Amino acid sequence: MKALTWQGRSDVRIDDVPDPRIEHPTDAVIRVTSTAICGSDLHLYEPLAPFLSKGDILGHETMGIVEEVGSEVTHISVGDRVVVPFNISCGHCWMCQRGFMAQCETTQVREQGMGASLFGFTELYGSVPGGQAEYLRVPQAQFGPILVPEGVADERFLYLSDILPTAWQGVEYADVPDGGSLAVIGLGPVGLMAVAIATHRGLQVIGVDNVPERLARARQYGATVINTDETDDVPGAIRELTDGRGVDGSLDAVGMEAHGAPVAETAIKAVGLVPDVLAKPMMKTVGIDRLAALRTAIGAVRRSGTVSVSGVYGGMADPLPMMEIFDKGLALRMGQCHVKRWIDDIMPLVLEDGDPLGLEAFATHRLPLPQAPDAYSMFQKKQDGCIKVVLKP
């Protein structure tokens, strides 16, 4: 089959690779009909390169048609249309039973000290082949795949694999009271989904970014926007919009590659130039992130408010503003999304007439799989108004 493979820093290619097959009774194989490029994939494109190997298949936002199932898979059948959550969880372990699917004890990558395995990520999360390919083997298919109806466009359901429940969890974790205020820092795909969800709930939403197309999309959803290129004090600007107090909750939807932290950026790039055998332990022990978005989220929230973090971080020596966090009495909630925990809550909105979250029109680019390498570069460089790319194998 054809699949997008990682070959080196900023180097992904379409290759011929072996077709996936059933390896365990709890496996399924799907024919991919749609797969998307996620902002997290861009972390693999550069900063997390030391944890990848040449030939790794990328991609963790995938849906398609079931081609084959193992003997212990009973809730889906050949021919069914399914969406595949990006984290691989069993549904029956101690963590899964409590709704913490991203910490599944069956698929935890214990040798790396990490949580549940993820599709198409790095050795930190199991090196499981991803879905930017013509076919995908789905481990733990007795629980993971989400059955979706026929007769509606793929893109109404595709984002259930990651960015929609990730945004949903981010808004939930921000713990904003009814009619309260939420600042969304970073208006990439997750940030924009969070804006759509929060405005649909009737919250006062402030979106922060510097990319014109993203700011315009947030306005369309009903948010007030702040362009970081036009203010040196984003938290101050947010306080001006909230009676001098700050928002009830803030959501960092950016993560480790935030702009506005040149020293950290230099350090991250320096680690990336070190041979992998040295870079891996450096990133695990002294690695740092660009914390501009997180610091903005902390500064923007009112006292006794909540900071929610959906953006991915990978550093182990990040200098957090602990005095400010403690003095303001802030709560912090973060982590990989527990996808299936939220599906029953989200699905009625996804199926609602009129597509209230604008899912079918969310992608800015729809491209055949062979154009994926160019799409990665375009997405990373924010060219051609690119907000979200959907690939069609």
Side-chain angles (χ1 to χ4, degrees):
M1 69 171 182
K2 301 290 185 185
L4 184 86
T5 64
W6 185 90
Q7 297 296 329
R9 185 176 297 275
S10 302
D11 183 3
V12 294
R13 306 174 194 173
I14 299 295
D15 284 331
D16 290 316
V17 302
D19 290 343
R21 57 183 179 82
I22 299 292
E23 298 178 13
H24 303 285
T26 52
D27 287 350
V29 173
I30 70 165
R31 175 175 55 83
V32 177
T33 56
S34 293
T35 182
I37 302 176
C38 179
S40 298
D41 291 327
L42 299 184
H43 301 326
L44 311 183
Y45 203 53
E46 286 199 347
L48 292 179
F51 294 98
L52 288 158
S53 300
K54 284 191 174 184
D56 283 351
I57 301 173
L58 304 184
H60 59 266
E61 298 183 1
T62 312
M63 69 176 294
I65 306 299
V66 178
E67 293 278 307
E68 188 177 1
V69 296
S71 59
E72 295 182 18
V73 178
T74 58
H75 83 291
I76 56 172
S77 304
V78 172
D80 283 345
R81 189 184 191 202
V82 296
V83 175
V84 181
F86 77 97
N87 42 28
I88 303 170
S89 49
C90 71
H92 58 73
C93 70
W94 192 93
M95 285 289 182
C96 285
Q97 287 181 342
R98 288 157 177 80
F100 305 127
M101 289 78 176
Q103 308 299 337
C104 174
E105 292 180 331
T106 300
T107 73
Q108 276 179 19
V109 188
R110 289 181 171 83
E111 61 272 23
Q112 299 287 350
M114 305 298 279
S117 298
L118 309 179
F119 285 102
F121 221 68
T122 68
E123 66 184 59
L124 293 174
Y125 287 100
S127 295
V128 181
Q132 289 169 3
E134 293 179 318
Y135 294 88
L136 174 69
R137 181 179 74 90
V138 182
Q140 302 299 323
Q142 84 289 343
F143 175 70
I146 301 160
L147 190 64
V148 297
E150 299 289 345
V152 184
D154 270 13
E155 287 169 48
R156 183 73 74 98
F157 304 110
L158 174 61
Y159 307 123
L160 289 168
S161 59
D162 180 359
I163 61 170
L164 181 51
T166 293
W168 190 278
Q169 176 174 292
V171 175
E172 289 285 332
Y173 277 9
D175 197 27
V176 178
D178 291 345
S181 54
L182 173 72
V184 179
I185 315 301
L187 300 174
V190 169
L192 285 171
M193 285 281 184
V195 170
I197 292 164
T199 55
H200 186 267
R201 293 184 181 186
L203 303 182
Q204 175 193 0
V205 182
I206 302 169
V208 179
D209 207 295
N210 67 343
V211 178
E213 294 84 3
R214 295 178 174 186
L215 294 167
R217 180 77 68 92
R219 284 194 195 96
Q220 290 173 4
Y221 288 136
T224 300
V225 300
I226 294 175
N227 187 332
T228 57
D229 288 343
E230 297 175 358
T231 178
D232 294 327
D233 182 10
V234 172
I238 290 173
R239 285 192 292 273
E240 288 182 6
L241 294 169
T242 53
D243 299 323
R245 190 174 294 117
V247 286
D248 297 304
S250 60
L251 170 56
D252 171 3
V254 181
M256 67 172 71
E257 294 191 86
H259 295 290
V263 174
E265 180 175 0
T266 300
I268 291 166
K269 288 182 177 178
V271 171
L273 298 175
V274 174
D276 287 358
V277 68
L278 299 176
K280 291 178 185 179
M282 288 175 66
M283 292 181 73
K284 284 186 173 182
T285 56
V286 299
I288 61 172
D289 298 297
R290 290 181 254 178
L291 297 180
L294 182 55
R295 287 180 175 274
T296 298
I298 291 167
V301 74
R302 62 164 167 79
R303 292 178 178 275
S304 297
T306 301
V307 176
S308 173
V309 182
S310 293
V312 175
Y313 284 95
M316 289 293 283
D318 290 327
L320 290 173
M322 290 304 300
M323 182 166 65
E324 182 179 9
I325 294 170
F326 181 83
D327 178 66
K328 292 176 73 172
L330 303 183
L332 274 70
R333 293 291 305 274
M334 63 189 73
Q336 299 281 8
C337 179
H338 310 295
V339 173
K340 293 208 69 173
R341 175 176 179 170
W342 309 110
I343 294 301
D344 288 346
D345 295 332
I346 300 171
M347 190 64 82
L349 189 58
V350 170
L351 293 172
E352 189 173 315
D353 290 344
D355 189 14
L357 296 181
L359 300 175
E360 291 188 37
F362 189 78
T364 52
H365 293 74
R366 297 164 183 83
L367 301 169
L369 183 65
Q371 293 184 27
D374 291 337
Y376 264 77
S377 178
M378 173 180 63
F379 189 23
Q380 185 200 42
K381 295 173 182 176
K382 302 180 178 69
Q383 295 173 333
D384 194 33
C386 184
I387 292 175
K388 187 67 174 177
V389 179
V390 173
L391 301 170
K392 296 289 187 177

